[in-house]
């Protein structure tokens, strides 16, 4: 994914991605080509560094029996982003259990994730919230939710 053009040309770099897709860490390095007019990180770049991860982690952790989509998002800018900033994503068993239970009958479930973008001094630059849509796919044999 580090070679994916939206990340590559924005200075976004995945520094960790667990084999089981339960953890990721992403950095955004400030470069001449990704600064705004006042020399800090573009807000869009801060958002882009977090955009796909909750959906991807959830999709891989739940497996092929589930539909997983981004539903909604918001970002709160708290401090100008300078230097290298990072975000962590940790998907726990409790959240996955709630998703499985809530969708067992084939209904949809909407879950809000929240995480911080942090600078090199440990200060929070922005807080991002992402809502993920989850639904169990119907069993193709009889049209009911899978086993």
């Amino acid at each position: 994914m580090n070679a994916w053009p939206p990340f590559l040309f924005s200075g976004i770099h995945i520094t960790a991605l667990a084999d089981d897709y339960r953890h990721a860490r992403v950095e955004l390095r400030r470069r001449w080509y990704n600064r705004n007019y006042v020399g800090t990180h573009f807000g869009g770049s801060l958002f882009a560094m977090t955009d796909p991860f909750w959906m991807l982690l959830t999709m891989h952790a739940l497996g092929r029996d589930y539909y997983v989509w981004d539903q909604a998002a918001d970002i709160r800018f708290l401090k100008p982003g300078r230097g290298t900033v990072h975000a962590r994503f940790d998907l726990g068993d409790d959240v996955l259990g709630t998703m499985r239970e809530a969708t067992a009958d084939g209904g949809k479930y909407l879950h809000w994730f929240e995480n911080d973008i942090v600078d090199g001094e440990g200060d929070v630059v922005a807080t991002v919230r992402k809502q993920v849509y989850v639904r169990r796919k119907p069993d193709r044999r009889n049209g009911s939710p899978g086993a």
Side-chain angles (χ1 to χ4, degrees):
M1 279 184 65
N2 283 324
W4 187 42
F7 281 4
L8 180 65
F9 297 119
S10 297
I12 298 168
H13 183 75
I14 301 166
T15 59
L17 181 59
D19 291 337
D20 64 358
Y21 286 87
R22 301 294 289 281
H23 167 77
R25 185 179 185 282
V26 181
E27 288 183 351
L28 173 61
R29 301 168 185 150
R30 191 176 60 154
R31 303 284 191 240
W32 65 267
Y33 54 83
N34 68 5
R35 293 182 301 200
N36 63 21
Y37 186 76
V38 294
T40 62
H41 286 293
F42 280 112
S45 296
L46 291 169
F47 182 77
M49 73 181 281
T50 65
D51 185 36
F53 290 98
W54 287 121
M55 185 194 77
L56 289 173
L57 295 180
T58 302
M59 181 186 315
H60 284 281
L62 289 175
R64 295 179 185 259
D65 292 335
Y66 292 85
Y67 297 111
V68 180
W69 296 98
D70 283 326
Q71 180 75 28
D74 66 59
I75 186 168
R76 287 187 317 259
F77 301 104
L78 304 172
K79 177 183 173 185
R82 297 181 173 89
T84 299
V85 296
H86 74 273
R88 295 178 51 96
F89 306 84
D90 294 297
L91 183 57
D93 289 332
D94 56 336
V95 173
L96 292 170
T98 299
M99 290 175 172
R100 287 184 180 108
E101 184 178 323
T103 60
D105 66 355
K108 73 176 181 183
Y109 176 72
L110 300 174
H111 183 83
W112 279 102
F113 290 98
E114 183 172 313
N115 59 309
D116 294 328
I117 299 173
V118 179
D119 66 15
E121 287 77 45
D123 295 330
V124 177
V125 171
T127 298
V128 178
R129 291 184 350 120
K130 294 286 301 239
Q131 188 181 53
V132 174
Y133 166 103
V134 178
R135 183 183 297 260
R136 186 155 175 87
K137 292 179 181 177
D139 185 346
R140 294 183 191 262
R141 293 173 296 198
N142 64 13
S144 64

